[in-house]
Amino acid sequence: MQPDKLVYMANQIATFFKSQPGDDGAERIAAHLRDFWDPSMRAHLCELAKQDDQVLDENVRKAVALLN
């Protein structure tokens, strides 16, 4: 999958969880990624976060850290 698409999708997930009550957005994003993204997509997102995490929402960056 294209890197831009992964970033877009991850940031969309973060936007959704921002609208939900609670302050556990990063944990919920990580759970969503574990449940619905295949391992290669998660690995690619983790690599992208290492290269340039500024394109990722803050909670996505936190979620990526929880995936490792």
Side-chain angles (χ1 to χ4, degrees):
M1 184 172 285
Q2 295 294 335
D4 291 345
K5 181 71 172 174
L6 285 175
V7 168
Y8 177 77
M9 290 169 45
N11 286 339
Q12 278 188 312
I13 295 165
T15 298
F16 170 77
F17 282 115
K18 283 180 185 176
S19 70
Q20 303 300 304
D23 60 356
D24 60 345
E27 292 84 0
R28 294 169 83 181
I29 293 167
H32 180 90
L33 296 175
R34 280 188 209 100
D35 290 345
F36 297 106
W37 284 31
D38 68 50
S40 66
M41 290 171 66
R42 290 192 306 269
H44 196 178
L45 183 65
C46 290
E47 286 302 313
L48 291 172
K50 289 178 189 174
Q51 295 170 9
D52 182 12
D53 69 353
Q54 296 306 308
V55 297
L56 295 171
D57 180 274
E58 178 183 0
N59 278 338
V60 174
R61 292 192 306 264
K62 291 177 182 177
V64 166
L66 296 172
L67 292 174
N68 295 326

